[in-house]
Amino acid sequence: MSRNALVVGASGIVGSATADLLLSEGWTVYGLSRRPGPMAGVRPVSADLQNRASTAAALADIRPDAVFVTTWLRQNTEAENIRVNGAMVRNLLDGLRPGGSTRHVALVTGLKHYLGPFEAYGQGTLPQTPFREEQGRLDVENFYYAQEDEVFAAAGRDGFSWSVHRPHTVIGMAVGNAMNMGTTLAAFATLCRETGRPFRFPGSAVQWNGLTDMTDAGLLARHLLWAATTPDARNEAFNVVNGDVFRWQWMWSRIATWFGLEPAPFDGVVRPLQDQMAGDAALWRKIAEREGLAEPHLDRISSPWHTDADLGRPIEVVTDMGKSRRLGFTAYQPTEDAFHALFAKLRAARLIP
């Protein structure tokens, strides 16, 4: 490869980590977003992937070898998720076709491949854990499947290789991201410390007591680059997690300690963050003004609905990484370290006090 990359969704948690890694490895990186912000070293590309013509125009002079698709748009129904997100991938790959340079496309989806979409999340007959790639698709409509099918069809037509990457909940840094547990928990801990409210686990007893795993954005970026540059990893789907497992009853206390809090005892009652943080926007603005924070809008750094979905699950979720290990990907990231590194970055960037 000539080491030209297009990162789609470059301002998001996964996209920004991927762009940073590629730059550090000497790649030329184009970052596509609807409204590109400043990213050191990244060449911005402004495009609305829902618009076929404008996407083609934006990509007309770009010749990437590797394309990393790390974005999606949440819609009100799964049927709309399928229509919109399938079309976005199709418009992207159609826009790149005239250039003829694409040799590999990496698509980031997630464990809803096994758990089902938001409308049927964790319902029905689910595969046995730990989730393994060969367990395949559920018998339900899912926009992840629609995205995959667009990549597969374009690869068959245009001759590039592909990889699909299925992380668990991603720990990483971004502002305005729709699914961001790490900054949501950091904001919640900050509010609890400010008000004296108990730092209480919001989720289910199953999540509190059961095993789980997560995915660091930096590790996921390394996995994306590995698959794009490793012949044996091409045309394969992979789970991607940190490599450790933990119970939230342990992790909750570790997060509390980082923020100087005592964790509240868990009594088995689900108390969603969406309820606990419902009236906190004005308070966050006051904290931001007093502390000189960079983001005064609480909804730009927290997504309680998504964190509630993960921490409220009635099933244990752990993920097998054997397929990647057999092919040579051996990176490992302790999840506690990933959380602590994120909190330190948030503080350094003046996103939390």
Side-chain angles (χ1 to χ4, degrees):
M1 292 188 183
S2 59
R3 298 167 75 86
N4 291 321
L6 174 65
V7 179
V8 183
S11 60
I13 294 176
V14 178
S16 60
T18 302
D20 286 346
L21 175 65
L22 290 166
L23 288 169
S24 74
E25 294 288 330
W27 287 63
T28 299
V29 179
Y30 295 87
L32 188 150
S33 300
R34 281 178 294 170
R35 294 177 294 275
M39 292 184 65
V42 175
R43 304 183 184 192
V45 180
S46 177
D48 179 0
L49 293 179
Q50 296 183 79
N51 187 308
R52 179 183 177 89
S54 69
T55 298
L59 297 173
D61 297 323
I62 298 174
R63 300 291 184 269
D65 303 291
V67 180
F68 302 90
V69 184
T70 70
T71 190
W72 69 286
L73 283 178
R74 187 186 183 201
Q75 305 298 310
N76 290 329
T77 67
E78 192 59 22
E80 280 295 290
N81 276 331
I82 291 168
R83 183 186 68 80
V84 169
N85 290 284
M88 288 168 60
V89 174
R90 183 167 61 253
N91 291 342
L92 169 72
L93 298 179
D94 285 351
L96 290 168
R97 182 177 306 122
S101 65
T102 304
R103 297 178 61 185
H104 186 83
V105 173
L107 172 68
V108 177
T109 61
L111 293 195
K112 286 189 288 296
H113 182 94
Y114 309 106
L115 289 163
F118 292 115
E119 290 182 2
Y121 190 68
Q123 300 175 18
T125 302
L126 301 177
Q128 188 178 52
T129 56
F131 294 139
R132 293 182 170 86
E133 295 89 346
E134 66 266 22
Q135 290 168 320
R137 296 180 175 184
L138 302 177
D139 189 22
V140 296
E141 296 296 312
N142 191 323
F143 82 88
Y144 283 171
Y145 307 160
Q147 289 181 307
E148 287 183 345
D149 288 343
E150 293 293 345
V151 172
F152 300 159
R157 180 180 59 238
D158 299 334
F160 57 76
S161 62
W162 55 266
S163 55
V164 175
H165 305 256
R166 300 170 186 159
H168 199 167
T169 304
V170 178
I171 303 170
M173 185 166 167
V175 175
N177 193 274
M179 301 193 299
N180 196 338
M181 180 188 284
T183 58
T184 299
L185 294 180
F188 178 58
T190 299
L191 290 162
C192 288
R193 188 175 60 196
E194 176 77 13
T195 61
R197 297 195 316 236
F199 186 62
R200 193 180 302 280
F201 183 72
S204 69
V206 171
Q207 292 304 305
W208 181 255
N209 294 310
L211 291 172
T212 193
D213 48 29
M214 294 185 74
T215 306
D216 176 72
L219 181 138
L220 176 52
R222 292 166 67 186
H223 196 270
L224 288 162
L225 180 56
W226 166 78
T229 55
T230 302
D232 287 345
R234 293 172 188 164
N235 302 331
E236 298 285 351
F238 297 101
N239 298 328
V240 192
V241 288
N242 288 338
D244 63 346
V245 294
F246 63 91
R247 303 181 199 277
W248 274 106
Q249 59 180 271
W250 176 81
M251 186 66 76
W252 197 251
S253 66
R254 313 297 280 191
I255 293 173
T257 298
W258 199 93
F259 285 95
L261 297 168
E262 285 291 330
F266 180 65
D267 59 8
V269 177
V270 176
R271 294 180 173 85
L273 287 180
Q274 199 150 20
D275 296 338
Q276 294 194 57
M277 300 173 69
D280 287 335
L283 175 58
W284 187 264
R285 282 194 298 272
K286 291 180 181 178
I287 296 171
E289 182 178 356
R290 186 189 72 213
E291 301 290 340
L293 300 185
E295 182 51 71
H297 300 289
L298 183 58
D299 61 357
R300 292 273 296 158
I301 64 167
S302 66
S303 50
W305 69 272
H306 175 257
T307 301
D308 287 338
D310 274 6
L311 299 184
R313 286 184 298 215
I315 55 175
E316 182 178 271
V317 177
V318 288
T319 316
D320 182 76
M321 275 283 285
K323 186 176 184 180
S324 293
R325 302 298 189 223
R326 291 186 191 97
L327 292 175
F329 183 80
T330 58
Y332 167 80
Q333 172 64 59
T335 302
E336 180 187 7
D337 293 355
F339 270 123
H340 290 177
L342 170 62
F343 299 153
K345 287 180 181 179
L346 294 172
R347 183 166 285 169
R350 302 304 302 160
L351 289 167
I352 61 172

